Amino acid sequence: MSATNHQRLEILARYADLKDRRLALTLSQEDRDEEDDRDPLERITCRTHRRWLHQCVSSPLHVIVVTGHRWCRSCSLALSVAIDELAGDVTFSCPGCGRAAPTRATRQLIRACRASLAAAHDDGLVYPGLSTPEPRAAS
């Protein structure tokens, strides 16, 4: 069942204090999508930390032992995270064995973090309710 307009406004108001309006809008959209049965593990934002996923994926709260998200089953350790925002690179590694098994969960997190990086740094899109980006000077 889809959220009513009143519920949608409440969700958007939940993030009204965030300075990053693109983040606030994306958080709101993903909250609505979750209510419409979207997989919460496909988010590029974090409802708990109110940040882009790549900014908080290293938090212990993002380790999910059961599904293998940020978890090395061989060593029973949380995977370490390295995010290179300039290169757009996302790496997970186990502090025990030094590797991260190429599991579905790890691939899913890498995809979500890369999408999060792209969305956070994309200044060329126009979002409803946001000002239009300044035109770039021709070179």
Side-chain angles (χ1 to χ4, degrees):
M1 181 157 126
S2 179
T4 66
N5 284 339
H6 179 70
Q7 290 168 319
R8 291 178 193 274
L9 289 174
E10 285 177 357
I11 290 171
L12 188 56
R14 182 180 310 154
Y15 305 110
D17 62 316
L18 294 177
K19 288 181 182 178
D20 183 341
R21 300 312 300 153
R22 184 177 294 118
L23 172 61
L25 191 65
T26 306
L27 277 160
S28 298
Q29 181 62 51
E30 288 188 333
D31 286 356
R32 286 192 303 269
D33 291 349
E34 252 188 85
E35 288 177 1
D36 291 336
D37 212 25
R38 179 181 178 182
D39 182 354
L41 297 173
E42 293 291 336
R43 292 180 69 116
I44 64 170
T45 62
C46 175
R47 175 197 315 248
T48 303
H49 295 109
R50 299 164 48 104
R51 301 185 78 161
W52 294 103
L53 180 63
H54 71 275
Q55 295 173 331
C56 65
V57 71
S58 61
S59 165
L61 292 177
H62 288 284
V63 176
I64 308 172
V65 177
V66 173
T67 62
H69 286 80
R70 282 217 34 235
W71 188 251
C72 178
R73 290 193 170 123
S74 301
C75 299
S76 295
L77 292 170
L79 298 178
S80 298
V81 180
I83 306 284
D84 182 339
E85 291 198 39
L86 291 176
D89 196 27
V90 179
T91 307
F92 294 93
S93 61
C94 174
C97 65
R99 57 185 166 75
T103 64
R104 177 182 170 272
T106 299
R107 288 189 306 273
Q108 182 181 39
L109 267 178
I110 290 171
R111 276 192 314 273
C113 285
R114 285 181 178 158
S116 170
L117 276 163
H121 296 288
D122 186 357
D123 62 358
L125 295 178
V126 176
Y127 291 85
L130 297 180
S131 60
T132 306
E134 292 291 322
R136 295 185 183 186
S139 33

